[in-house]
Amino acid sequence: MAPVRTLHIKVKPNAKTSSLEELPDGQGWLAKLKSPPVDGKADAELIALVADRFECRKAEVTIKVGASGRMKLVRIEGGWKGGRIERAMKS
């Protein structure tokens, strides 16, 4: 069975720059996205941003809860073997 990681992410669309940062309290992540929340553009950018940060394929990242809201539950499957996700979370 492939390893699975679930992240709680608060999304802020229409930002000047795109970024994904862990919240200081360690209770989740904040994603600032350039894309507007229209026609799934922000969700697509979020998936690409998470995949890039955790060095996995976009196909391994899914939004499980919150597709139409700002609070999202994102699932990362497989692809991050060898501690890549842990290293990404520390950076």
Side-chain angles (χ1 to χ4, degrees):
M1 184 171 174
V4 175
R5 180 73 177 205
T6 303
L7 306 174
H8 295 272
I9 302 177
K10 181 177 183 179
V11 174
K12 290 192 175 185
N14 296 319
K16 289 184 181 185
T17 60
S18 295
S19 66
L20 180 64
E21 305 164 358
E22 190 168 12
L23 295 174
D25 61 5
Q27 295 297 311
W29 294 78
L30 174 64
K32 295 178 184 176
L33 307 174
K34 286 185 189 180
S35 300
V38 178
D39 297 329
K41 291 179 183 178
D43 288 345
E45 183 180 350
L46 175 63
I47 288 171
L49 195 61
V50 169
D52 183 57
R53 174 67 183 258
F54 295 106
E55 300 176 9
C56 62
R57 296 179 297 131
K58 289 189 262 184
E60 296 171 328
V61 179
T62 55
I63 297 173
K64 300 308 282 181
V65 176
S68 63
R70 300 222 174 168
M71 293 301 297
K72 304 196 184 283
L73 194 59
V74 176
R75 181 177 173 153
I76 305 170
E77 295 186 45
W80 49 271
K81 298 172 191 160
R84 287 187 287 178
I85 195 165
E86 286 78 15
R87 287 193 303 275
M89 292 180 86
K90 290 178 184 175
S91 62

